[in-house]
Amino acid sequence: QVQLQESGPGLVKPSQTLSLTCTVSGGSISSGSYYWSWIRQPAGKGLEWIGRIYPSGSTNYNPSLQSRVTISVDTSKNQLSLKLSSVTAADTAVYFCARGLVGSTWRGDAFDIWGQGTMVTVSS
Amino acid sequence: SSELTQDPAVSVALGQTVRITCQGDSLRSYSATWYQQKPGQAPVFVIYGKNHRPSGIPDRFSGSSSGNTASLTITGAQAEDEADYYCHSRDSSGYRLVFGGGTKLTVL
């Protein structure tokens, strides 16, 4: 059974770079059937998609974050990573990694497995 | 602002039926996926591909779609269904993903 676990600093200073890792266990991050995403949720607010990476290495990002975001994969460690630069208090949120799939018999996407999330606070 | 619009809050009496809707132009081309999120927990997908239920999701959850609106229906709502519900699909470009703002469901 595939499981995801986020990790990284819980506190980041303004203007610095937020770096998180998501470790995939029980399956290969290189599986061609899935892609991998980061999603965040400020306290008391809704979900915001940050971006995704396909097994090929190609990426898509939320236009509102694109200039600051990098998502990458380390297949040797079975890990997904997120880097978000020039952070401000507005980036304070719970960050989730999730496994995504593209419908085969239907047009759309679904996140079928999520990590538990990790809280990141941006503060000096 | 989200390209998918949901009502912020909906309530339903215990055992009754409730429909939660999600509107967006991209839903004319792409199916919505629905997630249930309880406080302090990660979201769980409950409906995908218009009306497919993942393993373990009760059959009281169903999905439908018409035009630019996708709906999640809970038939015979239970106390444990009280949660936030989010729809998710692609944006109008088809390359990026978006979530609706979420609907807080209260079971009375």
Side-chain angles (χ1 to χ4, degrees), chain A residues 41 44-48, chain B residues 1-9 20-23 34 37 84-88 98-104:
Chain A
Q41 185 173 37
K45 297 189 177 181
L47 301 167
E48 180 181 32
Chain B
S1 62
S2 174
E3 294 192 32
L4 299 178
T5 301
Q6 297 182 242
D7 292 329
I20 298 169
T21 61
C22 175
Q23 289 188 302
W34 290 92
Q37 186 182 33
D84 294 326
Y85 290 86
Y86 294 91
C87 62
H88 155 234
V98 290
F99 287 96
T103 297
K104 182 177 182 60

Side-chain angles (χ1 to χ4, degrees), chain A residues 56-103:
Chain A
S56 64
S58 66
T59 54
N60 297 131
Y61 296 127
N62 185 324
S64 68
L65 299 169
Q66 185 160 354
S67 64
R68 300 193 290 130
V69 173
T70 302
I71 294 175
S72 59
V73 165
D74 185 334
T75 56
S76 67
K77 296 181 179 179
N78 227 30
Q79 290 179 335
L80 171 72
S81 71
L82 168 70
K83 292 189 185 302
L84 181 65
S85 64
S86 304
V87 298
T88 69
D91 296 309
T92 294
V94 175
Y95 286 75
F96 296 98
C97 58
R99 188 178 80 171
L101 58 93
V102 176

Side-chain angles (χ1 to χ4, degrees), chain B residues 51-73:
Chain B
N51 193 21
H52 296 286
R53 276 179 292 106
S55 174
I57 301 302
D59 61 6
R60 63 179 179 271
F61 289 87
S62 63
S64 62
S65 181
S66 178
N68 73 337
T69 301
S71 301
L72 171 71
T73 299

Side-chain angles (χ1 to χ4, degrees), chain A residues 1-5 23-28 78:
Chain A
Q1 183 176 353
V2 175
Q3 293 183 312
L4 310 181
Q5 179 66 59
T23 300
V24 179
S25 59
S28 172
N78 227 30

Side-chain angles (χ1 to χ4, degrees), chain A residues 8-53:
Chain A
L11 181 64
V12 181
K13 295 185 186 309
S15 79
Q16 293 190 343
T17 296
L18 178 161
S19 296
L20 296 176
T21 298
C22 172
T23 300
V24 179
S25 59
S28 172
I29 201 169
S30 302
S31 171
S33 302
Y34 303 101
Y35 60 82
W36 305 90
S37 267
W38 286 97
I39 296 152
R40 70 181 183 179
Q41 185 173 37
K45 297 189 177 181
L47 301 167
E48 180 181 32
W49 178 72
I50 297 171
R52 64 179 164 184
I53 186 166

